[in-house]
Amino acid sequence: MAENKKSLQSVSSVSPEAYRHFSETIWPVLKKGPFKTVLFFLLLFVAAHIASLWTNTSLTDVAVLSSFLPFKSLKQSAEILEFPFNCSNIDLTKGCSSGTYHHNHTSSPSDEECPHYFRWIHENLRPWKDRGGITRDMVERAKPMANFRLLIVNGTMYVERYSRAFQTRDVFTWWGILQLMRRYPGRLPDLDLMFHCGDKPVIRSDDYKGLFALAPPPLFRYCANDSTLDIVFPDWSFWGWPEVNIKPWGRLSKQLMEANKMMIWSKREPYAHWKGNPETSENRRHLMKCKSSHNQDWNARIYVQDWEKEAREGFKNSDLTKQCIHRYKIYVEGRGWSVSEKYILACNSMALVVKPGYYDFFSRSLMPLKHYWPIKEQKLCRSIKFAVDFGNSHHPLAKEIGNLGSKFVQEELKMENVYDYMFHLLNEYSKLLMYKPTVPQKAVEFCSEVMMGCFGSGLAKQFMKETMVMTPSNTEPCTMPPPFNSTTLHAFLEKKENQTKEVETWEKQNRQL
Ligand SMILES: *[C@@H]1O[C@H](CO)[C@@H](O)[C@H](O)[C@H]1NC(C)=O
Ligand SMILES: *[C@@H]1O[C@H](CO)[C@@H](O)[C@H](O)[C@H]1NC(C)=O
Ligand SMILES: *[C@@H]1O[C@H](CO)[C@@H](O)[C@H](O)[C@H]1NC(C)=O
Ligand SMILES: *[C@@H]1O[C@H](CO)[C@@H](O)[C@H](O)[C@H]1NC(C)=O
Ligand SMILES: *[C@@H]1O[C@H](CO)[C@@H](O)[C@H](O)[C@H]1NC(C)=O
Ligand SMILES: *[C@@H]1O[C@H](CO)[C@@H](O)[C@H](O)[C@H]1NC(C)=O
């Protein structure tokens, strides 16, 4: 029994909330219960539930990176997770006064057109544009599904928190928006939005079809898919992910680029690599079958992330910048999209992307055979083996795809563009608001200084210091590309499909040989 409780306690370093829930509500009942067997199964159920809470997150997806945190950050994560967001000992008004930007900063216009993926902003907001705008009622109907409501009124950000998000996802999302406001002082319009930090989209388009259907509630989150209408926004990891020691993207992307120069493509191992938690999706479980055995080599090097082993060995493989040693890297979604996609693409290795079911804010603009090699879900192992064989006998093409994938994340996805994406999305969104946002009573004013103050110590604070925008941008945001029209959208989607089909045709021909 004590044994069981102890092991749960150690799980609590991963999810103290779950543990607290357990210890406060379930444990006392269990202790009184007379039947040891029932107790045992209950415990088993709770443990499984906690484990599922754990795998529920895309945290596990980062395991793909095969790197991972040094052990101390696992412990540290407990500290950060316990982060009470107790700012009551800070005078909020006073804390913010120094940080309020009332700039008369002038910046030169930008003649740069934004990257292609900005076009999806128009598509994402189309359901409300078609209905003439967004009413307060539509926004408030998203409340039951939101972790928080965020407002910008008169250049100041306010947050009303409805429920906790996993780890510090919400905190770093607020942080990112605050930095956007420092980058473009006085340029963010008044707005009012609902945000959910979970993995999977929930606003099903089917529920809002038909002449008399309600308008869908606008809900922001990190990903969506073809049957949902959630509005996609850059995820927290661009400002860092302290719980797993993933550095802010600005620094990490540069380090990855440097590391790539040290490990030229032809010297990399001629196999496809994946490491992660196979339990988060069907495709990942299938991928396990592609492990090589003595009588079958699928050209794939597949590893399951073993936390305990990693810990025992002192997290030797914890440096992301040392992970790009294979010519091919497999990307397969876990639950929802996976944060790991940009790190995999950044390797300068040809990314083998198992057909994704979700998209984040940039991934819809990735083109098969240009930025990555598409892999079919069916006949997964066969497709992977074919991709590796093909690449190894067509070096220039494989290298080119690896290069262009990396170039995409290094250039189109650089922080300046991530900020500009947020800028344009929020501006386009606010143009649709048909009412003047007012600050709800329970909302709290936020500014960078206060947020830093609310963090006692640790990696989170360090990441905030690192990513704090110190000077406003001296150029205007890039210029929004026009919306797709039916011809250009159709042509783009058709090209994607054609490129994918082309790979399938090559594969079929190969099989017939
Ligand atoms: C927050 O901090 C105040 C003052 O330091 C303290 O009185 C209060 O109990 C704290 N609240 C929580 C939930 O920890
Ligand atoms: C801009 O701000 C500076 C100091 O902050 C002030 O001296 C100057 O007059 C301002 N310019 C305008 C056009 O408001
Ligand atoms: C915003 O600014 C306007 C004009 O300065 C002012 O009338 C209004 O009260 C301000 N609103 C809030 C919520 O501070
Ligand atoms: C989109 O995501 C939702 C929620 O995860 C899921 O139920 C649905 O099947 C997905 N749709 C498609 C087309 O993948
Ligand atoms: C769509 O846009 C393209 C390029 O911007 C243009 O050439 C074409 O005429 C447009 N088609 C329609 C149907 O508007
Ligand atoms: C896609 O392939 C079809 C048939 O091969 C071709 O007619 C069409 O022009 C292609 N479309 C694009 C956008 O490449």
Side-chain angles (χ1 to χ4, degrees):
M1 232 34 280
E3 195 60 43
N4 268 330
K5 196 173 178 191
K6 192 156 161 265
S7 68
L8 273 163
Q9 222 146 10
S10 66
V11 171
S12 78
S13 69
V14 165
S15 178
E17 253 189 325
Y19 175 65
R20 207 178 310 120
H21 177 69
F22 172 77
S23 60
E24 280 169 18
T25 61
I26 303 175
W27 183 243
V29 180
L30 284 187
K31 269 200 301 205
K32 285 190 208 128
F35 303 108
K36 288 231 161 108
T37 332
V38 175
L39 194 79
F40 174 72
F41 281 109
L42 267 172
L43 271 174
L44 213 63
F45 170 77
V46 170
H49 182 64
I50 290 174
S52 87
L53 277 182
W54 168 243
T55 50
N56 230 333
T57 73
S58 340
L59 173 60
T60 42
D61 303 350
V62 172
V64 171
L65 315 170
S66 89
S67 82
F68 241 87
L69 46 165
F71 193 53
K72 68 172 167 36
S73 11
L74 246 188
K75 284 200 168 143
Q76 207 172 27
S77 76
E79 171 204 329
I80 292 163
L81 280 165
E82 286 296 354
F83 168 54
F85 210 76
N86 183 359
C87 300
S88 61
N89 46 359
I90 292 171
D91 181 348
L92 286 176
T93 16
K94 202 166 147 214
C96 276
S97 59
S98 66
T100 316
Y101 264 83
H102 287 300
H103 266 263
N104 58 10
H105 183 78
T106 52
S107 47
S108 51
S110 166
D111 48 10
E112 216 175 300
E113 178 155 311
C114 304
H116 183 272
Y117 62 86
F118 282 59
R119 290 190 154 207
W120 299 105
I121 290 175
H122 302 290
E123 298 311 305
N124 221 173
L125 297 175
R126 194 175 295 284
W128 298 279
K129 191 163 197 176
D130 287 349
R131 287 168 199 255
I134 297 170
T135 63
R136 195 193 298 269
D137 170 65
M138 292 178 198
V139 172
E140 284 176 353
R141 272 195 286 113
K143 183 173 165 175
M145 294 161 280
N147 289 122
F148 60 85
R149 179 178 199 162
L150 185 143
L151 298 100
I152 296 177
V153 175
N154 276 2
T156 302
M157 182 173 122
Y158 302 85
V159 173
E160 182 178 6
R161 192 189 221 181
Y162 300 129
S163 58
R164 291 182 67 111
F166 187 74
Q167 297 185 334
T168 43
R169 288 179 176 199
D170 52 0
V171 172
F172 275 86
T173 302
W174 304 332
W175 179 257
I177 296 173
L178 282 170
Q179 301 323 301
L180 171 67
M181 293 168 71
R182 291 169 71 94
R183 187 174 165 82
Y184 296 118
R187 298 289 308 279
L188 268 293
D190 284 8
L191 55 88
D192 178 9
L193 61 87
M194 297 285 180
F195 206 113
H196 189 251
C197 302
D199 285 338
K200 290 196 169 188
V202 294
I203 311 296
R204 290 154 33 95
S205 41
D206 279 351
D207 295 345
Y208 303 95
K209 278 188 181 141
L211 208 51
F212 301 106
L214 282 172
L219 180 65
F220 283 68
R221 73 166 61 246
Y222 310 117
C223 81
N225 66 11
D226 289 342
S227 56
T228 54
L229 301 171
D230 302 55
I231 301 173
V232 290
F233 195 80
D235 70 65
W236 69 94
S237 69
F238 286 92
W239 295 271
W241 188 352
E243 288 85 356
V244 294
N245 200 23
I246 299 238
K247 298 168 208 161
W249 174 238
R251 171 160 52 124
L252 183 52
S253 59
K254 287 190 182 75
Q255 288 176 346
L256 283 163
M257 190 155 62
E258 287 308 308
N260 283 338
K261 286 184 197 150
M262 303 284 128
M263 190 72 195
I264 61 167
W265 196 82
S266 55
K267 293 235 170 86
R268 296 184 182 198
E269 292 181 36
Y271 300 105
H273 174 265
W274 186 82
K275 186 170 183 179
N277 179 346
E279 299 306 323
T280 50
S281 69
E282 201 60 27
N283 280 344
R284 287 185 174 195
R285 277 189 286 275
H286 288 161
L287 186 62
M288 289 301 110
K289 298 191 190 127
C290 313
K291 276 187 187 173
S292 297
S293 63
H294 48 274
N295 49 21
Q296 178 68 64
D297 189 352
W298 297 111
N299 290 342
R301 300 294 175 259
I302 309 289
Y303 305 95
V304 172
Q305 182 78 42
D306 182 341
W307 292 86
E308 286 186 16
K309 183 157 167 284
E310 286 280 306
R312 270 202 310 278
E313 295 178 358
F315 291 91
K316 282 195 298 239
N317 306 317
S318 72
D319 190 351
L320 259 187
T321 62
K322 298 200 173 96
Q323 301 309 304
C324 303
I325 60 167
H326 295 82
R327 289 183 192 168
Y328 313 95
K329 299 274 285 184
I330 298 168
Y331 171 76
V332 51
E333 289 178 329
R335 249 171 242 271
W337 97 118
S338 169
V339 163
S340 60
E341 187 163 29
K342 59 183 176 299
Y343 310 121
I344 287 172
L345 285 166
C347 261
N348 229 2
S349 301
M350 183 164 95
L352 311 184
V353 174
V354 181
K355 191 173 172 24
Y358 298 87
Y359 56 78
D360 58 24
F361 70 104
F362 67 85
S363 57
R364 275 170 294 181
S365 286
L366 293 170
M367 183 59 74
L369 276 190
K370 180 177 177 194
H371 303 112
Y372 67 90
W373 181 280
I375 298 286
K376 271 190 305 188
E377 311 152 89
Q378 308 87 6
K379 307 215 171 89
L380 189 62
C381 305
R382 224 177 256 281
S383 291
I384 289 171
K385 178 170 167 34
F386 175 69
V388 173
D389 287 340
F390 194 96
N392 285 337
S393 54
H394 298 78
H395 281 195
L397 178 66
K399 270 161 83 169
E400 170 90 342
I401 293 175
N403 279 333
L404 290 179
S406 286
K407 198 168 161 218
F408 181 96
V409 291
Q410 290 289 352
E411 291 174 15
E412 304 195 24
L413 208 53
K414 63 185 177 190
M415 276 318 282
E416 288 85 342
N417 282 330
V418 175
Y419 279 125
D420 284 2
Y421 182 90
M422 292 157 62
F423 179 88
H424 284 303
L425 173 59
L426 294 181
N427 267 287
E428 295 299 318
Y429 174 81
S430 87
K431 280 184 206 163
L432 294 171
L433 291 181
M434 295 163 78
Y435 63 99
K436 186 156 175 43
T438 49
V439 184
Q441 270 197 333
K442 286 193 189 142
V444 176
E445 178 183 342
F446 267 30
C447 63
S448 302
E449 288 80 359
V450 163
M451 285 201 71
M452 295 267 282
C454 293
F455 280 83
S457 60
L459 216 45
K461 187 169 189 173
Q462 192 185 312
F463 286 169
M464 287 188 177
K465 272 194 181 144
E466 175 179 338
T467 54
M468 192 190 258
V469 169
M470 299 314 286
T471 51
S473 166
N474 47 26
T475 51
E476 295 278 300
C478 57
T479 311
M480 261 300 260
F484 291 109
N485 62 31
S486 57
T487 318
T488 50
L489 179 60
H490 189 244
F492 182 78
L493 296 177
E494 190 176 273
K495 186 169 177 201
K496 268 184 109 153
E497 203 171 305
N498 275 9
Q499 303 275 67
T500 306
K501 284 225 181 83
E502 185 148 6
V503 170
E504 284 168 19
T505 312
W506 292 343
E507 197 179 333
K508 247 183 237 145
Q509 286 165 350
N510 179 67
R511 222 173 296 146
Q512 281 157 4
L513 289 180

